[in-house]
Amino acid sequence: AVVSTQSGHYGRGIQILFEINMTTDKPQLMETKVPVVEVTSSNMKEVWPSLVHSIKYSSFISLDLELSGLGDRRHLMRKSVDDRYTAIVDAAKTRSVLALGVSCWRVTQDEPEPQYYIQTYNILTLCRENFTVEPDALQFLVDHGFDFNKQYKDGIEYTPSTEDMIIFKEKKSTEPLRDVFAMILTAKCPVVTHNGLIDLAFLYQAFYAPLPANMSIFVADLQDMFKSGILDTKCLAEYLIREHATYLEYLFRKSVKRMEEAVSEGKQKVNLSFSEHKAIKTHVNHIECFAKKSASGKELCENYAVSTVLCSVYNYVQHGFPLHRLVIY
């Protein structure tokens, strides 16, 4: 196993590499817990300098949201893209963001392998306005360890965009979540999502401006907002790599398998360094990203409705598992 400490813009952290099991000669990932900074209303001022620093020095930023619901799934699957967008707008205006996940990645081209320095933040949010909640969405979050008591007690409040609000670009915001989103937009680095159209619509409505009724305007706005581009790993997997399945758990497991094979063949490996800021150490939770069961004890393969046939045919996914807001590409 190779474990070392690294220092730099992101502070000291644990570097995680692939290892070879000397007994079986089978490469595997080290069992490790990944540090995630939990950001709440009670520690926002304390964590703020670290968050600003991480965003500022990012090579790319991955985003993920937890939502109170998505609305009628049938409307989201309509043949017409415009009809789908209408359904997304309705969901974004009636549901809320419960948590915002931000993973800041800094890439250095160190020899012999690139180094990836990562700082991940889980920002609990609380909408000030009334919103719709869906039992299935809440049950899913509870099964995966989401703490609604903490969210309602310590969530950072925000007010969704309305027609009479001034966009934050024209006036300094008094809401920290809008300031966070503004920093991401001005970071001059790509944003990475997975199947992120809905997340982008919720971000727009919650922290930017009211969603336009026309999808073409929304797309044009996204292009103007994210000047360094938006990368969607689901689109890359489906249309560029042509994977058989493109849900995140499958892609992660398959990537792990490929990396293990590359390590065993002496090829390039990936070095991931997860930062551990001493100043905010008390606010860091260590997430077991290779857990095979959810917080409820259920096999996560069942939670994600992963076909057992698919698991056995490709032999890549024995059990699906949630990455929550930590996404490794």
Side-chain angles (χ1 to χ4, degrees):
V2 184
V3 181
S4 64
T5 59
Q6 296 288 327
S7 61
H9 289 302
Y10 278 35
R12 296 182 63 83
I14 300 174
Q15 184 179 16
I16 302 170
L17 306 182
F18 286 82
E19 67 171 358
I20 300 293
N21 186 312
M22 300 306 294
T23 303
T24 62
D25 292 327
K26 181 180 180 181
Q28 62 184 25
L29 267 177
M30 296 173 56
E31 292 294 329
T32 182
K33 293 185 177 181
V34 174
V36 177
V37 181
E38 185 169 75
V39 186
T40 66
S41 59
S42 60
N43 70 9
M44 184 65 171
K45 290 183 179 180
E46 186 178 354
V47 174
W48 185 258
S50 169
L51 180 59
V52 172
H53 197 274
S54 297
I55 293 175
K56 180 179 179 180
Y57 288 101
S58 291
S59 300
F60 61 90
I61 299 171
S62 56
L63 301 175
D64 184 38
L65 304 183
E66 300 297 357
L67 308 172
S68 69
L70 295 175
D72 193 326
R73 303 308 195 272
R74 295 172 299 177
H75 296 166
L76 296 175
M77 298 304 294
R78 286 175 173 173
K79 292 183 179 181
S80 168
V81 175
D82 289 332
D83 288 342
R84 290 188 186 188
Y85 176 72
T86 299
I88 292 173
V89 170
D90 179 69
K93 289 185 175 181
T94 55
R95 276 73 175 171
S96 78
V97 177
L98 304 179
L100 168 61
V102 181
S103 280
C104 301
W105 295 67
R106 183 170 63 86
V107 185
T108 62
Q109 297 300 322
D110 296 342
E111 296 294 339
E113 299 92 13
Q115 304 283 330
Y116 294 81
Y117 299 91
I118 309 158
Q119 182 73 74
T120 298
Y121 300 86
N122 175 34
I123 306 174
L124 294 181
T125 65
L126 184 63
C127 181
R128 287 197 182 109
E129 305 294 332
N130 293 334
F131 59 89
T132 300
V133 297
E134 298 175 18
D136 288 347
L138 303 191
Q139 185 64 56
F140 174 85
L141 292 174
V142 169
D143 284 347
H144 292 84
F146 192 89
D147 189 341
F148 281 97
N149 287 330
K150 176 171 284 189
Q151 187 242 345
Y152 274 90
K153 179 182 177 182
D154 293 329
I156 301 172
E157 294 186 347
Y158 76 92
T159 303
S161 303
T162 59
E163 296 296 339
D164 57 351
M165 292 182 66
I166 301 176
I167 298 178
F168 66 78
K169 290 190 298 184
E170 301 175 4
K171 180 179 180 180
K172 182 174 175 58
S173 171
T174 58
E175 296 189 355
L177 291 175
R178 288 182 179 269
D179 293 336
V180 170
F181 191 54
M183 284 193 297
I184 292 173
L185 294 182
T186 58
K188 298 180 180 179
C189 68
V191 165
V192 181
T193 66
H194 185 83
N195 200 20
L197 178 60
I198 292 176
D199 282 0
L200 292 171
F202 270 81
L203 285 169
Y204 191 112
Q205 176 67 32
F207 310 128
Y208 188 75
L211 280 164
N214 189 293
M215 184 173 181
S216 61
I217 297 176
F218 174 62
V219 172
D221 283 351
L222 290 181
Q223 188 173 15
D224 181 62
M225 293 160 62
F226 299 96
K227 297 185 184 300
S228 296
I230 301 170
L231 302 177
D232 193 301
T233 51
K234 182 178 177 66
C235 292
L236 293 175
E238 186 168 349
Y239 297 107
L240 183 63
I241 306 175
R242 298 293 180 181
E243 289 286 1
H244 295 282
T246 56
Y247 56 91
L248 190 56
E249 294 69 40
Y250 170 84
L251 296 175
F252 181 83
R253 286 287 190 178
K254 189 167 183 178
S255 296
V256 168
K257 181 177 176 66
R258 286 173 174 168
M259 185 56 65
E260 289 174 344
E261 292 173 347
V263 171
S264 66
E265 296 170 2
K267 297 179 180 179
Q268 188 181 58
K269 56 182 175 286
V270 175
N271 302 326
L272 305 178
S273 179
F274 296 91
S275 303
E276 291 277 18
H277 287 282
K278 292 183 179 180
I280 56 175
K281 190 174 182 180
T282 56
H283 307 304
V284 175
N285 294 325
H286 289 81
I287 306 299
E288 179 56 73
C289 63
F290 298 107
K292 297 182 183 298
K293 290 188 177 183
S294 69
S296 67
K298 298 178 181 179
E299 294 291 343
L300 295 177
C301 189
E302 296 176 3
N303 291 343
Y304 282 101
V306 178
S307 167
T308 55
V309 175
L310 182 65
C311 291
S312 60
V313 168
Y314 293 105
N315 196 29
Y316 295 125
V317 186
Q318 295 302 319
H319 302 285
F321 61 96
L323 298 183
H324 297 286
R325 297 141 198 91
L326 173 70
V327 186
I328 302 176
Y329 303 100

